[in-house]
Amino acid sequence: MLELIYIAIAVLAIMLVASIWLISRKGIFEDQIRTKSVEAVWCTIQAENETDLNRAIKLFNKAEQLKGEIAGLIGESPDLEQLSLADSCCNLADKELKDMSLGELQRYYDQQNNIANIYNELYKGRN
């Protein structure tokens, strides 16, 4: 009976540590987004006030890169949406595709999408 109490206390302690860790991660995540947002705004303002064109372009590019990172962290990135669409276009419900090994699947998609021809054209003259 005493062992059961010790096990219950251990489980509660693990749950407490896990909840504290998850809450602290959320705060770190929000601070990271806030820091990147402030830096992106600062880069944009500096680029608008910069007299040197090359430096202004570098600051604008840095601001755009930070905006892309923020969109990726928030989950509103168009790049991430394209990846989710690529997964939905694959029809893995077919029984024969599920039974294929990894090599057979790779060969199947290579033949379906002409991957070998694309690589031959891409690396023509480099071999």
Side-chain angles (χ1 to χ4, degrees):
M1 186 67 165
L2 198 55
E3 296 168 352
L4 185 62
I5 294 173
Y6 288 140
I7 292 172
I9 291 173
V11 168
L12 288 175
I14 291 171
M15 289 175 52
L16 177 66
V17 169
S19 66
I20 289 172
W21 180 70
L22 289 173
I23 289 171
S24 67
R25 278 192 61 208
K26 182 180 178 187
I28 292 170
F29 179 73
E30 290 172 354
D31 288 342
Q32 185 180 15
I33 292 174
R34 187 177 303 116
T35 303
K36 286 185 185 285
S37 298
V38 168
E39 189 176 355
V41 170
W42 182 83
C43 286
T44 304
I45 291 171
Q46 290 296 326
E48 289 173 355
N49 296 331
E50 185 63 42
T51 57
D52 183 19
L53 185 61
N54 289 331
R55 183 171 161 98
I57 290 172
K58 287 179 185 177
L59 287 170
F60 268 124
N61 288 339
K62 186 175 181 182
E64 288 301 316
Q65 178 187 5
L66 289 169
K67 289 176 186 178
E69 290 176 10
I70 293 168
L73 288 172
I74 294 174
E76 298 176 357
S77 175
D79 297 333
L80 297 177
E81 291 176 17
Q82 290 175 358
L83 289 176
S84 64
L85 290 176
D87 290 339
S88 65
C89 74
C90 300
N91 187 8
L92 293 179
D94 296 335
K95 180 71 173 158
E96 63 181 45
L97 288 180
K98 286 184 178 182
D99 292 339
M100 287 184 182
S101 68
L102 184 60
E104 291 171 337
L105 274 174
Q106 185 175 1
R107 191 176 313 110
Y108 172 76
Y109 286 116
D110 284 349
Q111 291 171 354
Q112 185 179 8
N113 298 319
N114 292 328
I115 301 295
N117 294 337
I118 293 171
Y119 279 127
N120 286 337
E121 291 177 17
L122 182 65
Y123 294 113
K124 185 185 287 183
R126 293 186 186 177
N127 292 337

